[in-house]
Amino acid sequence: MSLLPCVEIEPKNPADSAVIWLHGLGASGHDFEPVVPELRLPASSAVRFVFPHAPAIPVTINGGMVMPAWYDI
């Protein structure tokens, strides 16, 4: 099985929970990295954040342009 490339932000302590955050059309997982500090989670939280990158596919609504997308629209 092949996994999608992604950005992973690990907590200081072993993770006890995870958030998987999907980006929008044409974006990437990097677009939401700055959100994590803005959440101002307590230092004691042990949340892993995973921001996957969608594969580049032709998107019909954009004239078949190849871009990161989770599905064709």
Side-chain angles (χ1 to χ4, degrees):
M1 177 170 86
S2 175
L3 299 178
L4 290 172
C6 65
V7 175
E8 291 185 66
I9 300 177
E10 296 290 338
K12 292 179 182 175
N13 299 315
D16 60 14
S17 57
V19 172
I20 301 171
W21 198 313
L22 303 180
H23 62 76
L25 180 64
S28 80
H30 293 291
D31 292 350
F32 287 103
E33 283 180 85
V35 170
V36 175
E38 296 299 322
L39 295 174
R40 300 178 190 199
L41 296 175
S44 61
S45 68
V47 181
R48 171 184 294 120
F49 285 86
V50 181
F51 302 102
H53 306 300
I57 62 171
V59 177
T60 302
I61 200 168
N62 287 341
M65 181 184 297
V66 175
M67 60 178 41
W70 299 109
Y71 50 87
D72 185 26
I73 54 174

